[in-house]
Amino acid sequence: MRSIALIDVNNFYVSCERVFNPKLINIPVVVLSNNDGCAVARSNEVKALGVGMGAPWFKFADLAKQHGIKALSSNYALYADMSNRVMNILREFSPDQEVYSIDESFLELTAFKSLDLINYGQQMRKRVLKWTGLPVCVGIASTKTLSKLANHCAKKRSEFNGVCNFNAMPVIELDNLLGQIGVGEIWGVGRKLAPKLQALGYNTVLDLKRADANALRQQFSVVMQKTIHELNGIVCIEMEEIAPPKKQIVSSRSFGHAVYDYNSLSESITLYMSRAAEKLRKQQSFAGSVYVFIRTSEFKPNQPYYSNGMTLPMPSPTDDTRQLANVALWGLKQIFKPNFKYAKAGVMLSELVPSAGVQTDLFSQVQVSPKSNALMAAMDKINRKMGKEAVKLASEGFTRPWKMKQENMSPSYTTKWEDLPEVN
């Protein structure tokens, strides 16, 4: 029988904050989204107070004062670094790994069938906790969909002590367990499809497992058919050790303060394009077109609303930040209108093609050159070694009064020398 493990960090953002600030343990903590707008992570104490995921934080100001809720800005550098550390540790337990998200990883364990996989899962938990301070749970099953459910049980049911192996359960025991889990907990079902399935009489995971896969494919989609097959132990979703290249790359942010002038907008567009182009090169792709957009706030009816965007083809596909930024800024000039309070801007790279063997235009004066490739490679190498934006385009600006609000951000404990934690 195939064995696939899903390892998930418990309440990842909050756990990262508590690792470096133990005073937050047992304290209600919420991590906020860009510009400190909405709750994107909540400690169990905050969940118990009724604060929902994505809740606008200003609505809970009184509740925060009443219960002493600690609100923190998202610390993306810290979370990314801690995620990399966890994934590197897990890679030592299996050479076949799929990093599914910042806090989740699949491991192929079929070749380790001679081992006690529950004990093996406990070894993973102990090592991650010892080396990073982060708590994880492990779910093991014959398919990825089932391993997600096994992880849910490992997290929610104390009798499993953080590791749940569906493959070690008799069929009757497993079905009894699946009959106690709501259909909305299934990977790919969630809140949107759950009501529709419940209306048809499928209330639990076991109900859907016993459903007619072909009939539900007609009512929903082939994804539902695959989900039912996976619940029955038939592998339909394979491991992806290397993430497939993205078909589009988007970089955008809401501003911390309203932006009125063209120069501030051009700085933000250049910055976002620089980040998008870096991701483009990382997946070894070239972009054939650029989309640039700007808009005012849709939540202020007393102010005039304006939103516009433009798609621009590149003369030749490229990954050169300078060329991409120039095209985006030309588009910005066409859509910019004065006397508006702009709240957000962004860019999107589309028509992505592999950089190897890219088809160029014989008559275009803008071609891929060895100097361009060398310059971009040097920029990326310096920024990886010396820190983000060590080398950048001058048109990105320096003061950035429009940058997003992060008024309650914790130090970058693991990525900045000046923020290294001190032990007294």
Side-chain angles (χ1 to χ4, degrees):
M1 180 184 295
R2 191 170 186 179
S3 294
I4 299 174
L6 174 67
I7 300 90
D8 171 60
V9 182
N10 301 345
N11 213 337
F12 180 62
Y13 288 1
V14 173
S15 294
C16 286
E17 298 288 353
R18 285 174 167 172
V19 166
F20 295 97
N21 187 358
K23 293 180 180 179
L24 297 176
I25 296 175
N26 297 324
I27 297 295
V29 177
V30 63
V31 178
L32 303 176
S33 63
N34 294 341
N35 291 310
D36 296 341
C38 302
V40 295
R42 304 152 297 149
S43 67
N44 291 332
E45 296 84 1
V46 172
K47 293 176 183 178
L49 294 173
V51 178
M53 176 64 79
W57 185 239
F58 73 90
K59 292 185 177 181
F60 293 91
D62 292 338
L63 186 70
K65 291 180 180 179
Q66 182 182 353
H67 295 278
I69 299 176
K70 180 70 173 178
L72 300 171
S73 304
S74 293
N75 191 335
Y76 299 115
L78 175 65
Y79 307 151
D81 184 68
M82 293 298 286
S83 174
N84 290 334
R85 294 176 185 226
V86 172
M87 301 310 164
N88 288 335
I89 293 170
L90 295 177
R91 196 169 292 119
E92 297 181 6
F93 287 89
S94 174
D96 300 320
Q97 180 188 41
E98 176 187 341
V99 178
Y100 180 67
S101 66
I102 194 170
D103 61 345
E104 293 178 301
S105 178
F106 287 103
L107 294 181
E108 177 69 71
L109 299 180
T110 307
F112 300 85
K113 57 186 177 182
S114 61
L115 300 177
D116 180 343
L117 292 185
I118 293 179
N119 181 58
Y120 201 53
Q122 292 294 351
Q123 291 179 40
M124 296 180 200
R125 297 185 68 228
K126 291 177 182 177
R127 187 175 301 180
V128 172
L129 183 63
K130 183 177 180 179
W131 290 7
T132 69
L134 295 173
V136 301
C137 287
V138 182
I140 304 170
S142 57
T143 68
K144 291 171 79 171
T145 301
L146 283 173
S147 68
K148 275 268 194 178
L149 288 168
N151 183 277
H152 169 79
C153 292
K155 188 182 300 183
K156 299 295 183 180
R157 294 173 174 256
S158 59
E159 63 265 30
F160 292 112
N161 193 26
V163 179
C164 178
N165 184 2
F166 280 178
N167 289 347
M169 295 183 184
V171 176
I172 296 177
E173 182 181 345
L174 177 58
D175 283 351
N176 180 59
L177 180 59
L178 297 181
Q180 300 173 38
I181 304 173
V183 71
E185 298 295 340
I186 300 174
W187 187 28
V189 173
R191 296 179 181 178
K192 291 185 178 180
L193 290 180
K196 297 179 181 179
L197 289 170
Q198 290 166 350
L200 296 173
Y202 304 106
N203 297 302
T204 68
V205 177
L206 183 61
D207 293 334
L208 193 61
K209 177 183 176 182
R210 292 174 173 174
D212 186 325
N214 295 326
L216 286 188
R217 174 177 178 171
Q218 299 300 319
Q219 291 181 264
F220 293 91
S221 67
V222 67
V223 176
M224 183 62 70
Q225 182 188 39
K226 289 182 178 180
T227 296
I228 296 172
H229 286 328
E230 287 248 326
L231 291 176
N232 284 279
I234 302 171
V235 177
C236 297
I237 308 173
E238 291 291 346
M239 294 274 290
E240 292 181 353
E241 294 181 39
I242 301 176
K246 295 180 179 179
K247 297 181 180 180
Q248 294 178 326
I249 296 176
V250 179
S251 180
S252 67
R253 285 287 187 275
S254 295
F255 300 132
H257 303 279
V259 170
Y260 302 87
D261 61 299
Y262 173 81
N263 288 337
S264 293
L265 282 176
S266 66
E267 286 182 359
S268 67
I269 290 296
T270 306
L271 172 63
Y272 302 152
M273 181 56 75
S274 295
R275 292 176 176 174
E278 186 176 354
K279 294 178 182 178
L280 184 72
R281 293 190 291 272
K282 188 174 182 180
Q283 72 171 36
Q284 299 182 339
S285 296
F286 279 15
S289 68
V290 169
Y291 176 73
V292 57
F293 73 90
I294 53 177
R295 69 169 175 82
T296 61
S297 175
E298 56 191 287
F299 303 108
K300 296 182 178 180
N302 59 324
Q303 297 178 2
Y305 181 74
Y306 175 69
S307 176
N308 203 352
M310 175 179 283
T311 299
L312 302 155
M314 297 298 299
S316 289
T318 183
D319 64 357
D320 190 310
T321 301
R322 299 167 300 169
Q323 296 178 25
L324 294 167
N326 284 338
V327 170
L329 291 177
W330 187 90
L332 176 63
K333 288 181 180 179
Q334 312 310 308
I335 62 177
F336 172 75
K337 286 186 178 182
N339 304 319
F340 282 97
K341 294 183 178 181
Y342 292 99
K344 188 173 184 178
V347 297
M348 178 174 69
L349 301 178
S350 301
E351 299 183 46
L352 306 189
V353 295
S355 57
V358 64
Q359 183 68 45
T360 58
D361 186 346
L362 177 64
F363 302 101
S364 174
Q365 296 180 357
V366 183
Q367 298 286 359
V368 179
S369 70
K371 289 185 178 180
S372 170
N373 291 338
L375 178 59
M376 294 300 106
M379 283 182 61
D380 293 342
K381 184 176 181 180
I382 292 171
N383 287 332
R384 283 195 299 269
K385 184 176 182 179
M386 305 304 295
K388 187 181 295 184
E389 299 179 24
V391 177
K392 63 182 181 181
L393 301 184
S395 54
E396 291 180 27
F398 296 90
T399 57
R400 298 178 187 170
W402 42 266
K403 67 181 181 180
M404 66 179 179
K405 294 179 183 177
Q406 290 180 304
E407 297 176 350
N408 301 305
M409 191 171 76
S410 55
S412 298
Y413 297 105
T414 63
T415 56
K416 288 185 179 180
W417 287 109
E418 59 268 28
D419 287 350
L420 281 175
E422 298 180 1
V423 179
N424 297 321

